[in-house]
């Protein structure tokens, strides 16, 4: 069993997000899902991003940190889109991370003020033509610093792995889940 913290995207804890968390649980993992939107969900990424901006970065950071208070250090940090910021920050700055999985983006480590830990394996998943992912300016520097596995799926959808998303792509979602579940299984503390 791997302990996982899964941070939601800008649309909040949608049914698709919760389904993904439940699939990780069904595979035998303990999954924490901090809700820094306090139950609010949005039908589009744009509406969720407007809510994110209304809350503001400092408050979101405070809520995300509060949501993982008491979580042991030996976890796999996962984030979806907006949630990547929080997952990556914790994986970079909290000793003991077992790994990190970033769905729909990643940031250069220096954007979060610290280097990527040499012993923390990572994966990045996204669609090749996703307009919300900057593969060259954000993901490439992260991969160069971390040695992360990168999985680029054909298409332009953003939240393509979520069953209730307008971007859902069944074939890509199945492959994404297989890869994430394999990573989680390999990350279990020994």
């Amino acid at each position: 069993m791997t302990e996982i913290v899964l941070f939601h995207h800008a649309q909040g804890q949608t049914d698709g997000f919760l389904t993904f968390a439940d699939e990780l649980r069904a595979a035998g993992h303990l999954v924490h899902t901090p809700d820094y939107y306090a139950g609010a969900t949005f039908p589009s990424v744009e509406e969720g991003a407007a809510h994110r901006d209304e809350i503001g970065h400092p408050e979101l950071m405070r809520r995300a940190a509060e949501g993982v208070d008491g979580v042991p250090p030996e976890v796999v940090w996962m984030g979806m889109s907006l949630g990547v910021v929080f997952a990556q920050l914790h994986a970079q700055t909290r000793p003991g991370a077992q790994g990190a999985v970033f769905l729909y983006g990643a940031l250069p480590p220096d954007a979060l003020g610290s280097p990527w830990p040499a012993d923390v394996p990572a994966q990045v998943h996204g669609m090749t033509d996703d307009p919300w992912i900057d593969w060259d300016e954000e993901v490439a520097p992260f991969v160069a610093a971390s040695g992360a596995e990168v999985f680029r799926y054909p298409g332009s959808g953003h939240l393509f792995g979520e069953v209730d998303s307008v971007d859902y792509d069944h074939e890509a979602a199945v492959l994404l889940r297989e890869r994430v579940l394999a990573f989680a299984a390999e990350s279990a503390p020994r």
Side-chain angles (χ1 to χ4, degrees), residues 8-11 36-37 42 45-60 63 81-83 85-86 132:
H8 65 77
H9 47 70
Q11 287 181 253
Y36 34 92
Y37 273 15
F42 299 90
V45 174
E46 292 78 12
E47 290 171 272
H51 182 70
R52 171 204 67 201
D53 294 344
E54 184 178 299
I55 293 172
H57 185 73
E59 177 62 12
L60 284 174
R63 291 179 185 185
S81 192
L82 168 63
V85 175
F86 310 118
W132 292 89

Side-chain angles (χ1 to χ4, degrees), residues 99-103 105-106 116 120-126 135 139 142-153 178-184 186-187:
V101 175
F102 304 141
L103 306 176
W116 184 258
V120 178
Q123 286 185 343
V124 178
H125 298 262
W135 289 102
V139 178
F142 173 75
V143 172
S146 67
E149 289 182 282
V150 177
F151 299 103
R152 291 176 73 156
Y153 304 81
E178 287 174 4
R179 290 168 169 163
V180 171
L181 288 170
F183 183 91
E186 293 166 8
S187 300

Side-chain angles (χ1 to χ4, degrees), residues 104 125-127 130 133 151 153 157-163 165 167-170 172-173 176-177:
Y104 324 127
H125 298 262
M127 286 201 151
D130 179 347
I133 297 177
F151 299 103
Y153 304 81
H158 187 52
L159 304 177
F160 69 89
E162 294 199 36
V163 293
S165 172
D167 293 329
Y168 180 68
D169 180 307
H170 179 74
L176 177 143
R177 281 171 169 68

